[in-house]
Amino acid sequence: MALLHRAELRPSKLELLAGWLPGRSWFAGEAGAEVSRVAAYRFDDPAGEVGVETLLVRAGAGPVLQVPLTYRGAPLAGADEHLVGVIEHSVLGRRWAYDACGDPVYPPLLAAAVLADAGQAEEYFEVDGKREVRPASMTLTGSRTGRAVPTGPVPAAPVPAGPGDSGVTVVRVGDVELAVVRRPVPAEAPGLGGLTGTWPGQDEPVLLAHAR
């Protein structure tokens, strides 16, 4: 489960992305335009140290873009090229936001979702000592491939294999190679395993990630 905080963020996540996205090779949309949130989903870091959230956004009237992010309480060594920016969180303090494709915590969690339909983390707030669950903004469906799923952080940050492939970023963990679809569109999950999603207004499943 993912514990959320009712907090003020400076800059906000969308403000941070408005400055970062236009510099990505896979960016599509209006540079300088306001970035709007379409939907989002989270994975749960077993160690409870890193926030792992994927935002689906648009820049202006552009297409949907998929941006997996990790949030850390301290800089990740050797990951400067993957840093999206620093956020001041009114509850947690300073948080370093990274492109999750360059964070070692992310690929095993993505592999579990793609290969074993591990699903998304349930999000909740603590209100007067009780859990108040926030409804998911989208639905995820993974594959049940029977393949062994790597567990735990990998020893070193995986290196994305380059933007290539029309907006696909590839990460590797163990013997598993995963493609993160940066501009997701309706498609079926391939036979090797895939992760699809739907949200209000998008009833036809879009392909978010798949094994290669």
Side-chain angles (χ1 to χ4, degrees):
M1 299 183 74
L3 172 61
L4 306 178
H5 301 273
R6 290 189 169 93
E8 183 179 353
L9 305 181
R10 295 184 178 177
S12 71
K13 298 170 187 176
L14 297 180
E15 288 171 341
L16 199 66
L17 292 180
W20 182 78
L21 281 171
R24 305 310 102 194
S25 59
W26 42 267
F27 173 75
E30 304 169 33
E34 181 179 359
V35 173
S36 59
R37 181 183 184 272
V38 175
Y41 60 93
R42 285 180 178 263
F43 295 143
D44 186 29
D45 171 23
E49 296 294 328
V50 180
V52 184
E53 179 181 34
T54 297
L55 298 176
L56 299 178
V57 300
R58 282 192 175 93
V64 173
L65 303 175
Q66 180 173 211
V67 188
L69 297 170
T70 54
Y71 309 113
R72 290 177 168 268
L76 176 61
D80 289 353
E81 66 181 298
H82 305 297
L83 181 67
V84 177
V86 179
I87 296 172
E88 294 294 340
H89 191 290
S90 63
V91 175
L92 300 176
R94 185 163 293 178
R95 305 290 285 174
W96 280 258
Y98 290 91
D99 176 356
C101 292
D103 192 312
V105 168
Y106 175 69
L109 302 178
L110 179 64
V114 169
L115 302 177
D117 194 19
Q120 60 185 306
E122 189 175 60
E123 301 177 348
Y124 71 98
F125 297 97
E126 286 282 358
V127 181
D128 297 328
K130 297 181 180 180
R131 288 180 175 176
E132 182 181 289
V133 176
R134 182 168 80 170
S137 65
M138 63 182 295
T139 299
L140 292 185
T141 303
S143 301
R144 296 181 182 272
T145 64
R147 289 181 67 181
V149 178
T151 58
V154 293
V159 179
D165 299 334
S166 300
V168 170
T169 299
V170 178
V171 296
R172 299 183 182 90
V173 52
D175 63 349
V176 177
E177 188 175 85
L178 302 164
V180 178
V181 183
R182 297 293 196 167
R183 299 194 295 270
V185 295
E188 294 184 0
L192 291 177
L195 181 68
T196 61
T198 61
W199 56 86
Q202 180 59 55
D203 297 329
E204 186 177 0
V206 301
L207 183 62
L208 301 169
H210 60 89
R212 293 170 31 132

